[in-house]
Amino acid sequence: MCGITGYLGTLPAVSTAINNLKRLEYRGYDSAGVAFISPQGLRVCRAEGRIVNLESAIKNEQAQSSVAIAHTRWATHGVPCEANSHPHRDCAGNVAVVHNGIIENYAQLRQELTARGHSFSSDTDTETLAHLIEEQLANATQPDLVTAVRDALKLVHGSYAVAVLWAGMPDCMVVARHDSPLIIGVGDSEMLIASDITAVMKYTRDVIVLEDGDCALVTREGATICNLNGDRVNRNHLSVDWDDTAAEKGGHAHFMLKEIYEGPRTVRETLRGRLTPEGLVNLNDLGLSAERIAAINRVCLIGCGTAYHAGVVARRFFEQLIRQPVEVHVASEYRYSDPILDENTLVVLISQSGETADTMAALRLARSYNAITLGVVNVIGSSLAREADARLITQAGPEIGVASTKAYLAQLTALTLLGLYLAEQRAPETASLQSEVRRALSSLPEWLEQCVALAPQMDALSAVVAESSGVFFLGRGYDYATALEAALKLKEISYLHAEAYPAGEMKHGPLALVEPGVTVVGLCTQRTTFDKMLSNLKEVSARSGAVVALIPNGQQVPENAEVTIELPKCPDALMPMLTIVPLQLLAYYVALRRGCPIDQPRNLAKSVTVE
Ligand code: G6P
């Protein structure tokens, strides 16, 4: 996601903040900017593209200052361009704000602020904050930046890490966080802020990690931390002993592991603002009219690799929920097919990058038939996001590891929301399933945390799997869809041969391959097929294959399984999101034991922009 840095002290603040920002480049971004307070007042400089562009732009400024805040932006609201880059200012240009996260009620706040005479110069949710702070300062008898920021944040719903400068108090900055990380680095007569410890490590190893609801006044002497009501809170100092390379990955050995750990947060962000107080799904910003939705008589889901597997899960979910024919296709096949498509078909293109050549070709083919096209995509300014009729942005943030993990969870979350949204509008007959799934959605991030906590168990299991001659992942229904993704993960990063099979198909061929040394992972999370799965796993044990079973908590533990992994219990339709997490971890630990270059597997690329 976006990166924030800030500096207050004796060094040149602008160049120090920008240099520290470079330590966050690995996160990915599309523009960068800096704000500082010079003798002439508050100044802002921003540039599209790389940080070097910002450095060239700032060369022409008299950037003398002892305080600066800087930002790299990864677009979420509004396309990547200079006007949408941070910092954002109020009307008078005295307040500058950088922000990571999403302000859910920004549209309403913007409307109210506009009615009160504020004028906006960007499409972002962040700019509302600058104007809210401006109002709080204007309304106070003794204006004070900390109080103004606190009061402004009380009006905001959503997630944020923010840093604010105000020309009226030139020797300080105010920072706050809720659901987005922010740390304060304590130096010798200098203070630093950043969204990630990495960015301050060159200057200090003494760090305060802010907690949700904290708001801090940072001066050269130190940080005073309060909650949003102004009550003082104490936070411990952390002494960081990471080496530089580990730091970039948040203390993890690889980006893939870091990204698996970010899964729960990714799902929380993708759900953010999408459920109305009545518990219905809000996807009104898709831009599909009620008439167009009512006319849909078929859905086609299309993607490549992991994105295709998200489609395989969604096909079943959509069919159950909207009771209409749903197809799923691999984009490279679909683009050369002779499809049956018309203006009443909804074609959903799923892609993390939004640039995959085959997926783009499928999009263009669908458009040539006047089908309704919708991109479920992670990169807001990407080709898919721009060319599809409608888009649903997943909130995974940049994914660096070639093997997709958190983006897959974000795709499943977005597709679940989409399925519910369509069903709410057109399938009253599935209302009870809709409400069962909707009720469970808010607990998903918590269940996912429990799945991530299975890491030590998966590490132990990886010792056996790493020595296997081959691995089968078996499942039925939703579990078969998850099996496909689990096998792909293991193949692509550990180079072990792995195959996914619908469990009932084993006896039609693959059972012949089962012998000592082969591991069979049985995904047994579906209520209706649990007993069938147990029988299928017995067939494997009878041929001396090693059996690993994944079951929901409270289910009967299969007696022939050498290892059983217990998952939180949730509606069957949401189990794919939970089940994949330990299997991503398994792939990771197997690859680690086999000495593979996990983040960049041989022969593979993150974004496949050629055929
Ligand atoms: C490559 C990546 C996969 C990804 C697939 C589709 O194969 O290695 O992780 O799932 O492309 O990419 P997309 O950006 O369209 O989701």
Side-chain angles (χ1 to χ4, degrees):
M1 283 283 193
C2 315
I4 290 177
T5 59
Y7 179 84
L8 179 56
T10 45
L11 296 174
V14 173
S15 54
T16 310
I18 293 178
N19 280 337
N20 290 352
L21 205 55
K22 289 184 185 161
R23 300 298 307 268
L24 302 179
E25 278 195 296
Y26 72 90
R27 293 164 164 240
Y29 63 99
D30 46 58
S31 56
V34 63
F36 56 97
I37 298 181
S38 75
Q40 291 76 40
L42 181 84
R43 308 277 291 271
V44 165
C45 184
R46 307 181 296 193
E48 223 186 304
R50 314 300 298 168
I51 294 176
V52 288
N53 301 351
L54 174 66
E55 288 181 309
S56 325
I58 198 109
K59 268 198 194 124
N60 310 322
E61 299 253 349
Q62 291 294 316
Q64 301 302 331
S65 180
S66 59
V67 58
I69 53 177
H71 189 265
T72 43
R73 174 172 189 255
W74 160 270
T76 59
H77 289 74
V79 295
C81 65
E82 201 215 311
N84 287 337
S85 323
H86 298 214
H88 289 287
R89 275 164 292 185
D90 61 338
C91 300
N94 290 326
V95 173
V97 179
V98 293
H99 164 229
N100 291 351
I102 296 173
I103 296 174
E104 286 167 24
N105 57 337
Y106 86 99
Q108 195 194 333
L109 289 171
R110 185 175 172 128
Q111 204 175 28
E112 292 165 2
L113 285 158
T114 309
R116 293 198 291 270
H118 290 263
S119 63
F120 282 75
S121 49
S122 77
D123 303 322
T124 63
D125 52 337
T126 304
E127 196 185 342
T128 53
L129 258 183
H131 294 281
L132 286 175
I133 295 168
E134 176 178 39
E135 276 195 349
Q136 298 297 335
L137 286 167
N139 294 340
T141 34
Q142 281 190 317
D144 160 63
L145 185 59
V146 197
T147 318
V149 170
R150 281 204 316 259
D151 289 342
L153 289 175
K154 283 184 197 158
L155 305 170
V156 153
H157 307 307
S159 61
Y160 52 78
V162 288
V164 187
L165 291 186
W166 177 41
M169 285 168 65
D171 298 318
C172 71
M173 49 194 168
V174 171
V175 295
R177 74 155 274 178
H178 179 73
D179 274 359
S180 267
L182 198 73
I183 62 103
I184 299 175
V186 182
D188 195 6
S189 299
E190 61 185 359
M191 297 291 285
L192 300 106
I193 57 146
S195 40
D196 192 324
I197 292 173
T198 340
V200 304
M201 277 177 42
K202 191 173 158 208
Y203 297 90
T204 180
R205 301 281 170 144
D206 180 359
V207 164
I208 302 168
V209 180
L210 291 183
E211 291 185 16
D212 283 347
D214 289 355
C215 180
L217 171 68
V218 184
T219 65
R220 219 182 273 193
E221 284 70 49
T224 316
I225 309 170
C226 294
N227 61 24
L228 287 193
N229 294 324
D231 310 317
R232 280 291 294 271
V233 289
N234 285 318
R235 298 286 170 235
N236 293 334
H237 288 232
L238 191 81
S239 175
V240 180
D241 57 3
W242 299 344
D243 70 34
D244 271 16
T245 2
E248 212 180 43
K249 295 161 191 149
H252 297 290
H254 295 92
F255 281 112
M256 181 182 176
L257 190 59
K258 172 175 179 276
E259 287 159 3
I260 295 173
Y261 274 80
E262 286 171 350
R265 198 183 82 204
T266 295
V267 170
R268 198 174 286 124
E269 288 303 320
T270 306
L271 289 173
R272 190 175 291 288
R274 293 305 189 183
L275 293 174
T276 67
E278 297 74 44
L280 296 178
V281 172
N282 170 13
L283 290 184
N284 300 338
D285 57 334
L286 279 185
L288 292 180
S289 66
E291 295 74 54
R292 271 203 116 179
I293 291 179
I296 294 170
N297 57 17
R298 217 153 57 92
V299 181
C300 262
L301 300 151
I302 301 174
C304 299
T306 294
Y308 164 71
H309 292 156
V312 178
V313 174
R315 187 190 71 80
R316 185 166 284 269
F317 183 64
F318 278 34
E319 245 171 29
Q320 265 189 309
L321 231 66
I322 63 177
R323 308 306 300 148
Q324 274 188 334
V326 185
E327 302 162 17
V328 59
H329 298 276
V330 167
S332 53
E333 286 296 309
Y334 193 76
R335 64 181 294 185
Y336 295 113
S337 66
D338 183 7
I340 303 165
L341 276 181
D342 61 29
E343 66 284 0
N344 296 327
T345 310
L346 173 67
V347 178
V348 181
L349 293 307
I350 309 160
S351 173
Q352 187 283 125
S353 62
E355 301 294 350
T356 303
D358 288 322
T359 309
M360 287 309 296
L363 166 76
R364 289 166 191 148
L365 179 68
R367 282 179 66 89
S368 73
Y369 282 78
N370 292 325
I372 311 167
T373 56
L374 189 159
V376 171
V377 55
N378 197 38
V379 181
I380 196 172
S382 61
S383 307
L384 174 56
R386 284 184 278 111
E387 289 184 37
D389 297 324
R391 65 227 93 250
L392 176 51
I393 305 293
T394 52
Q395 300 292 348
E399 191 178 59
I400 315 274
V402 166
S404 184
T405 52
K406 63 174 181 171
Y408 176 67
L409 287 186
Q411 286 160 354
L412 292 182
T413 311
L415 289 164
T416 303
L417 289 168
L418 180 63
L420 281 169
Y421 182 69
L422 297 175
E424 280 165 11
Q425 316 224 3
R426 42 177 313 136
E429 68 273 28
T430 65
S432 78
L433 177 60
Q434 292 171 33
S435 47
E436 185 197 358
V437 174
R438 264 195 312 258
R439 269 197 310 274
L441 278 182
S442 53
S443 306
L444 255 183
E446 203 181 301
W447 290 326
L448 284 164
E449 298 282 2
Q450 293 169 29
C451 294
V452 173
L454 292 168
Q457 254 177 286
M458 302 322 288
D459 186 9
L461 174 60
S462 70
V464 182
V465 178
E467 300 303 320
S468 303
S469 52
V471 181
F472 282 101
F473 290 89
L474 306 185
R476 287 167 177 260
Y478 284 113
D479 282 336
Y480 171 55
T482 310
L484 287 169
E485 176 58 11
L488 176 65
K489 280 301 83 109
L490 190 63
K491 270 188 274 222
E492 61 186 340
I493 61 164
S494 78
Y495 315 151
L496 235 169
H497 185 76
E499 267 192 83
Y501 252 90
E505 276 292 293
M506 282 298 275
K507 56 186 172 293
H508 296 293
L511 207 50
L513 295 172
V514 175
E515 57 181 0
V518 171
T519 300
V520 177
V521 182
L523 284 63
C524 319
T525 77
Q526 300 294 301
R527 277 172 289 194
T528 46
T529 52
F530 186 78
D531 293 338
K532 304 269 173 230
M533 280 301 303
L534 295 194
S535 315
N536 294 140
L537 293 180
K538 286 216 175 96
E539 290 158 13
V540 171
S541 305
R543 274 100 191 153
S544 306
V547 170
V548 176
L550 279 82
I551 61 167
N553 264 328
Q555 273 286 18
Q556 168 202 347
V557 174
E559 62 203 24
N560 59 326
E562 289 175 30
V563 178
T564 301
I565 308 295
E566 294 194 36
L567 302 165
K569 205 172 179 165
C570 79
D572 285 6
L574 295 180
M575 280 311 291
M577 283 197 237
L578 306 189
T579 316
I580 194 61
V581 174
L583 298 175
Q584 291 171 343
L585 286 163
L586 178 65
Y588 173 80
Y589 287 115
V590 171
L592 195 65
R593 285 178 194 276
R594 291 166 61 92
C596 301
I598 293 176
D599 286 331
Q600 278 157 341
R602 68 184 179 206
N603 310 337
L604 301 180
K606 182 73 188 157
S607 184
V608 185
T609 52
V610 290
E611 247 193 289

